[in-house]
């Protein structure tokens, strides 16, 4: 199977390479690289990068990585303290952009206004959950906005490991005290959920709540286009993409990356601009490249963090699709354990 | 139609089924009363020992037929004169209470309290079903607890609302949070329903029982002690709240924050938990501590009250829109529903 795997992947990689040559080209270059073996379906639309060397390296890793990788499934056992566990060689990082919100539906600039999901957005979240139901999740980070939080919680209703996401509360001493859990066993079956404003959508200032017509009337079409599409020009009293990226990436580096380094598998549920900012950091994109990056809503993006590097593995397909395999050997082992646990 | 409604309702009240149960002072702890009136579509799922079939029910029938249509139209259809200052205050407003559905720890049978556990898929469906029942009842403001299961319940329920106003969660945790959530369009603000999250509406805090299953608690504390904490009014579990303490902060919040909104003419929905809601019901229905202990509010089934002349009139649980014979509970609710029908057909 390993032989077939490398063959298929390389075959696909070659297809990608031809498009790799198009340096200048259409703004949104769609690259579909569906590998039957890996079930990889790259919905990330970008100008290049999806088919970098790291992908091929990823294949080689998969066939070589040995099974001494610590089993990320924390099946309750006597020796199951996180201190004594050997650090994993690799961890999974899942990014999910929330689906349709009530203001998306009405075509209003949303930014940091805390608008909930539509029924369609709810369904998108559940579908996203089906795609990641076999990928380990030890911690969840969301923005302070309900649409991202709901997306995470709805997605996790589909997860096969059946651990329970629990929102952390430290807004006050009482909040912290009141949310205490008094059973070690229960804590082990919990996934801490941390909500922070640094993962919020880009703040859109005086455009928030306006529809396209109103903004064109109030500010002029070109100005609005400039704010939406430039890297560093903020709308009045708002953030530029650069400002958004600054606080989102800083947060990722300070709070999230250490978790990945310590062996935790992490899921981030957030927004178009905060996630593309993080992707800019993960994939080392330029500001020009990040402007053209569009992350599909409700389609999770998987990265493998290994040896301090982020390897993009595209978007996991739904569990019902044919030919779904893991992206690395440890993910394959994890899935196997889930199958054993529940069948 | 008014005549038919009145007749039907009166006919239903004559059903002595309810009256006879009123006499049961001592009796089974959870007394289930079904009062389905084809005229009003009232389905009182509230399980209580007395109270469901009080005189107030008939009184509200009388009010419905005599209340005049000068009651301010609760539907805020954008118009030139649509400022809440110039509007005449409505005689009555609606208060909806929703208890969230199944959470992941309910499923695992663990004491939850204030641990912030989300809904299961079943809890999600319960919330959507609840939304279908209230989709024709005006909502101007929403209050939730600070726990995600109540917030999600409210947001999921509102995806079903026919008025299509947009719930917006207000943020006041910091100056930046407030600034960042500003809306720059008056028109958009008018189509918004502010959502306020308050810890005072949280579930009763269960202290050292939080996260334990029934076996663990029995082992750690003994079965009788646990039973006492769960069923008494004023005995708290270790480092936790008694029902009395929960009621104290929940009712205080209701009186200080929510009741003034109702008085000023706002229709309010509260999405919260078993203990915080029964505490509020204790206040609305003037129950004794003995009565509130026996009160069980069904999950995912909204409870409607009409607030009028400073009084709370319980109107039971709205039925789903597809159920036959669904009418409004008061004339203004009937008018509101009519306007919704006109807007969308």
């Amino acid at each position: 199977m390993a032989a077939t795997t490398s063959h298929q992947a390389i075959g696909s990689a070659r297809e990608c390479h031809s498009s790799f040559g198009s340096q200048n080209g259409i703004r949104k270059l769609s690259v579909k690289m569906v590998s039957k073996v890996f079930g990889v379906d790259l919905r990330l639309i970008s100008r290049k990068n999806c088919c970098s060397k790291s992908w091929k390296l990823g294949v080689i890793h998969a066939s070589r990585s040995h099974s001494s990788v610590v089993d990320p499934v924390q099946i309750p056992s006597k020796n199951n303290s996180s201190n004594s566990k050997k650090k994993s060689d690799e961890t999974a990082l899942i990014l999910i952009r929330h689906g349709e919100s009530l203001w998306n539906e009405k075509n209003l600039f949303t930014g940091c206004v805390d608008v909930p999901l539509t029924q369609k957005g709810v369904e998108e979240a559940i579908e996203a959950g089906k795609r990641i139901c076999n990928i380990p999740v030890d911690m969840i980070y969301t923005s302070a906005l309900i649409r991202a939080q709901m997306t995470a919680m709805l997605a996790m209703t589909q997860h096969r490991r059946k651990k329970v996401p629990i929102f952390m509360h430290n807004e006050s001493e009482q909040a912290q005290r009141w949310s205490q859990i008094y059973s070690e066993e229960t804590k082990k079956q919990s996934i801490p959920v941390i909500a922070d404003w640094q993962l919020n959508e880009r703040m859109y200032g005086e455009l928030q709540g306006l529809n396209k017509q109103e903004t064109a009337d109030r500010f002029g079409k070109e100005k609005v286009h400039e704010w939406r599409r430039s890297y560093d020009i903020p709308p009045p009293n708002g953030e530029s993409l650069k400002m958004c990226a600054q606080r989102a990436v800083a947060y990722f580096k300070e709070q999230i990356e250490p978790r990945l380094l310590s062996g935790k598998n992490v899921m981030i549920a957030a927004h178009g601009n905060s996630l593309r900012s993080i992707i800019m950091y993960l994939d080392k994109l330029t500001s020009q490249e990040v402007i053209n990056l569009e992350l599909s809503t409700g389609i999770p993006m998987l990265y493998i963090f290994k040896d301090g590097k982020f390897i993009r593995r595209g978007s996991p397909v739904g569990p019902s699709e044919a030919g779904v395999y893991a992206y690395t050997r440890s993910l394959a082992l994890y899935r196997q354990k889930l199958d054993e646990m529940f069948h």
Side-chain angles (χ1 to χ4, degrees), chain A:
Chain A
M1 181 170 141
T4 322
T5 305
S6 347
H7 177 69
Q8 287 268 34
I10 292 167
S12 303
R14 287 218 193 96
E15 284 167 32
C16 189
H17 267 232
S18 53
S19 55
F20 197 84
S22 319
Q23 286 302 331
N24 45 344
I26 322 161
R27 199 147 167 260
K28 289 183 192 164
L29 184 65
S30 171
V31 179
K32 276 215 166 95
M33 209 172 66
V34 181
S35 155
K36 274 203 157 36
V37 175
F38 276 169
V40 170
D41 190 341
L42 288 179
R43 300 280 171 96
L44 186 65
I45 303 167
S46 75
R47 282 171 73 190
K48 52 176 186 148
N49 228 16
C50 60
C51 188
S52 59
K53 264 210 198 128
S54 62
W55 198 89
K56 214 197 293 184
L57 279 171
V59 172
I60 296 166
H61 284 168
S63 50
R64 275 211 305 217
S65 64
H66 44 85
S67 57
S68 68
V69 162
V70 175
D71 175 10
V73 174
Q74 290 167 35
I75 295 164
S77 70
K78 292 204 188 86
N79 291 332
N80 193 27
S81 103
S82 33
N83 290 330
S84 65
K85 261 203 328 204
K86 182 170 156 226
K87 247 176 26 182
S88 301
D89 280 338
E90 59 178 69
T91 48
L93 171 66
I94 300 169
L95 310 180
I96 301 186
R97 179 184 182 185
H98 69 79
E100 190 188 67
S101 79
L102 286 166
W103 277 12
N104 291 151
E105 202 188 33
K106 295 188 169 204
N107 242 309
L108 302 176
F109 284 103
T110 312
C112 286
V113 182
D114 202 351
V115 178
L117 299 171
T118 59
Q119 189 152 21
K120 179 180 172 206
V122 168
E123 286 157 18
E124 286 182 80
I126 291 175
E127 282 311 300
K130 291 178 183 166
R131 286 169 175 263
I132 55 150
C133 67
N134 293 305
I135 300 176
V137 177
D138 299 314
M139 293 194 71
I140 297 172
Y141 285 85
T142 75
S143 72
L145 305 173
I146 192 86
R147 57 198 187 266
Q149 296 172 0
M150 281 179 75
T151 294
M153 295 303 100
L154 291 164
M156 291 305 290
T157 59
Q158 307 299 311
H159 204 276
R160 291 176 74 206
R161 183 61 179 83
K162 299 287 177 202
K163 281 173 118 177
V164 179
I166 311 262
F167 271 86
M168 298 290 102
H169 281 268
N170 47 21
E171 56 269 26
S172 69
E173 189 269 332
Q174 176 184 284
Q176 212 162 3
R177 220 180 344 110
W178 277 32
S179 56
Q180 289 296 312
I181 300 171
Y182 285 84
S183 157
E184 285 310 307
E185 185 52 48
T186 301
K187 277 189 213 174
K188 284 193 200 123
Q189 296 303 314
S190 304
I191 300 171
V193 182
I194 296 167
D196 265 314
W197 67 268
Q198 291 89 333
L199 295 173
N200 276 13
E201 180 51 292
R202 175 180 164 199
M203 208 275 279
Y204 256 77
E206 287 178 24
L207 299 186
Q208 291 184 165
L210 272 55
N211 62 36
K212 293 205 171 114
Q213 195 51 56
E214 279 175 298
T215 49
D217 293 343
R218 207 179 282 198
F219 302 105
K221 264 180 117 173
E222 291 88 21
K223 212 76 202 103
V224 177
H225 182 85
E226 190 179 60
W227 292 326
R228 292 187 81 185
R229 296 289 163 244
S230 76
Y231 184 64
D232 55 4
I233 306 172
N237 289 319
E239 285 186 310
S240 62
L241 178 50
K242 182 181 191 184
M243 292 157 76
C244 171
Q246 191 277 323
R247 42 100 168 158
V249 174
Y251 185 83
F252 179 87
K253 286 202 263 194
E254 287 157 24
Q255 301 293 329
I256 301 180
E257 201 163 340
R259 307 289 190 175
L260 293 162
L261 273 159
S262 77
K264 301 267 187 251
N265 299 288
V266 175
M267 176 168 100
I268 305 176
H271 310 262
N273 285 300
S274 50
L275 286 175
R276 58 161 48 164
S277 303
I278 289 170
I279 290 172
M280 178 171 75
Y281 168 71
L282 303 179
D283 290 350
K284 301 184 177 34
L285 304 177
T286 65
S287 53
Q288 264 306 107
E289 289 167 329
V290 77
I291 290 168
N292 299 327
L293 196 67
E294 291 283 340
L295 186 58
S296 298
T297 62
I299 312 278
M301 181 64 54
L302 173 67
Y303 283 79
I304 302 295
F305 181 65
K306 192 178 168 98
D307 300 328
K309 293 193 179 58
F310 291 96
I311 305 153
R312 192 196 315 150
R313 302 315 304 276
S315 183
V317 291
S320 55
E321 293 181 36
V324 174
Y325 292 89
Y327 304 88
T328 64
R329 186 139 180 206
S330 24
L331 288 179
L333 286 170
Y334 182 79
R335 182 169 180 164
Q336 221 177 319
K337 287 197 149 46
L338 284 177
D339 291 341
E340 286 160 16
M341 276 173 81
F342 295 108
H343 288 114

